[in-house]
Amino acid sequence: MRIILLYGGQSAEHDVSILSAFSVLNAVYYNYYQVQLVYITKDGQWVKGPLLNEKPASEEVLHLHWQNAGDTAQVIQACQIKEDNAIVLPILHGPNGEDGTIQGFLETIDMPYVGAGVMTSASSMDKITTKYILHAVDIPQVPYVPVLKNQWKENPKKVFEQCEGTLLYPMFVKPANMGSSVGISEAHNREELQEALIEAYRYDSRVVIEQSIEAREIEVAILGNEDVRTTLPGEIVKDVAFYDYNSKYIDNNIKMQIPAKIPEEVQEKARQYAKRAYTTLGGSGLSRCDFFLTSKNELFLNELNTMPGFTQFSMYPSLWEKTGLPYGDLIEELIQLGLNQYNQKK
Ligand code: ATP
Ligand code: MG
Ligand code: MG
Ligand code: MG
């Protein structure tokens, strides 16, 4: 069977996707699968790369450029990835990958794929929509104010007043559809709030402003379709308050504590909320559910990531590894879940 590994992509998380893809290439069981590389460039071109029968010698193989067409790479139409006896692994993060668009395309060309479907991807990617849905099932979340670009453009003063009437400084300002902390900043006063809003609107016309809270960050890995499994929570142990892009991928000074050293009741609660959120959002395949935990042991669900960071150092595969499911087996499970999901719809 073939795995069509879709990576790169048009979002600001392009480079993260390449890192995730490389880890996948290192762990796939090549005695069962061949891997067809398909790279999506930053400007949205689809480039078909080599078909791998074994672990590649280096990461070089992933750096496909359409200029090389003819030797190792060839520009294709997206629908040309369709083939029998294959499953797509869209290891794409952020908009145009994790937000239901690619998933919808794959449904349309009738290809099985790994991970969440259209509705789950779209509603989990959009932080405002996620909050509305999870509110309906009583999952605790930090106070927030959604602000659309139009509202901000028409009446900035009203937006300031609305935020300051509901929240206290500092506040976290986020594009509703993004990941890897791209476009997110913390605002300590009105001036910074204005800057933060302008920054966030570079990425999305939908922005959410949240109460900033001092909290530990714990994450639960979820795996399954109808039968949903969760891991014990892990903790992102950081010496910075804001787990930003640099601390995620550049600085390398984040430690993951697995399992998190937290009371058993809190572990249980986090897993319950993670499962409830996943089920409510219609999850399938996988998700990583992120929480804030205050010093009073109050839990707030922050978000669900339907295609979490997938490098061998990332939290999601590490949580499963510690639960007894090594990276290669995890990929295998995800492929089976994707195939089951596809066959069930037939
Ligand atoms: P991911 O890479 O996990 O998809 P993301 O871009 O979707 O990240 P969030 O997880 O919402 O963004 O926020 C990124 C980080 O910003 C958090 O891990 C945390 O360090 C900080 N943060 C976000 N919201 C808050 C908040 N309300 N209070 C305090 N810190 C926050
Ligand atoms: Mg996220
Ligand atoms: Mg993300
Ligand atoms: Mg997060």
Side-chain angles (χ1 to χ4, degrees):
M1 183 165 200
R2 268 185 204 175
I3 299 173
I4 300 174
L5 188 66
L6 259 188
Y7 68 99
Q10 286 178 275
S11 87
E13 294 182 271
H14 180 99
D15 296 344
V16 180
S17 163
I18 296 178
L19 295 176
S20 294
F22 185 57
S23 291
V24 169
L25 286 188
N26 275 327
V28 163
Y29 296 141
Y30 290 93
N31 40 345
Y32 299 111
Y33 299 103
Q34 295 179 309
V35 181
Q36 173 62 58
L37 295 181
V38 178
Y39 173 58
I40 303 177
T41 66
K42 283 184 182 170
D43 45 20
Q45 228 157 2
W46 289 48
V47 182
K48 189 170 178 178
L51 178 66
L52 305 175
N53 291 303
E54 59 183 13
K55 191 166 139 175
S58 85
E59 197 194 347
E60 238 354 80
V61 70
L62 287 165
H63 295 278
L64 303 174
H65 299 289
W66 62 269
Q67 286 94 339
N68 297 347
D71 49 298
T72 56
Q74 178 197 0
V75 177
I76 56 167
Q77 296 294 320
C79 57
Q80 286 177 273
I81 65 164
K82 174 141 179 80
E83 57 178 287
D84 293 336
N85 203 23
I87 180 163
V88 178
L89 173 46
I91 202 99
L92 301 160
H93 308 298
N96 262 322
E98 200 179 338
D99 64 351
T101 50
I102 287 284
Q103 291 73 14
F105 164 70
L106 295 171
E107 297 276 349
T108 308
I109 64 167
D110 193 29
M111 279 295 289
Y113 57 92
V114 168
V118 175
M119 185 277 285
T120 307
S121 301
S123 46
S124 304
M125 180 91 279
D126 188 276
K127 293 182 193 297
I128 300 171
T129 306
T130 307
K131 288 182 197 299
Y132 292 157
I133 294 173
L134 298 187
H135 176 81
V137 291
D138 299 322
I139 292 178
Q141 305 176 82
V142 296
Y144 64 93
V145 177
V147 182
L148 309 184
K149 197 174 194 169
N150 280 349
Q151 299 170 311
W152 165 247
K153 271 192 169 161
E154 272 165 30
N155 197 342
K157 189 160 171 266
K158 193 169 160 197
V159 169
F160 288 139
E161 283 167 2
Q162 206 185 344
C163 292
E164 289 163 357
T166 314
L167 313 168
L168 300 166
Y169 289 109
M171 301 171 193
F172 257 85
V173 182
K174 311 178 178 181
N177 291 274
M178 196 38 79
S180 291
S181 303
V182 173
I184 299 184
S185 36
E186 194 178 28
H188 298 83
N189 50 51
R190 210 180 249 214
E191 204 182 358
E192 288 181 11
L193 178 57
Q194 170 159 348
E195 282 166 25
L197 281 161
I198 292 167
E199 174 66 10
Y201 287 124
R202 287 178 53 204
Y203 297 96
D204 196 357
S205 61
R206 294 161 64 76
V207 162
V208 63
I209 302 160
E210 292 176 8
Q211 182 60 60
S212 176
I213 53 164
E214 235 175 90
R216 294 163 70 182
E217 294 189 54
I218 71 162
E219 304 188 338
V220 173
I222 313 169
L223 182 64
N225 293 342
E226 291 85 40
D227 178 21
V228 180
R229 284 167 284 166
T230 58
T231 61
L232 284 173
E235 178 171 8
I236 306 287
V237 185
K238 29 171 209 155
D239 47 13
V240 285
F242 174 19
Y243 187 29
D244 63 2
Y245 188 90
N246 280 343
S247 57
K248 279 178 185 172
Y249 307 107
I250 318 261
D251 298 345
N252 268 332
N253 55 3
I254 295 297
K255 229 187 79 211
M256 290 182 299
Q257 174 66 49
I258 302 174
K261 291 179 181 153
I262 55 177
E264 212 171 300
E265 315 85 81
V266 181
Q267 287 180 351
E268 248 339 282
K269 199 90 227 173
R271 296 176 82 169
Q272 269 174 25
Y273 285 144
K275 191 168 174 178
R276 193 191 302 168
Y278 187 78
T279 310
T280 305
L281 288 159
S284 56
L286 75 163
S287 260
R288 193 194 72 223
C289 189
D290 299 353
F291 293 91
F292 298 124
L293 177 66
T294 68
S295 55
K296 291 182 200 149
N297 280 334
E298 280 173 300
L299 264 182
F300 296 98
L301 193 152
N302 175 30
E303 61 158 352
L304 267 96
N305 294 287
T306 51
M307 189 50 81
F310 222 90
T311 75
Q312 74 239 70
F313 310 110
S314 299
M315 184 61 108
Y316 184 85
S318 303
L319 284 168
W320 283 113
E321 184 109 42
K322 285 278 163 70
T323 310
L325 192 66
Y327 196 116
D329 290 6
L330 175 60
I331 296 171
E332 177 59 31
E333 283 264 355
L334 287 168
I335 288 168
Q336 293 313 322
L337 289 169
L339 291 173
N340 289 347
Q341 193 73 0
Y342 176 82
N343 290 327
Q344 212 179 39
K345 275 186 295 200
K346 292 273 133 180

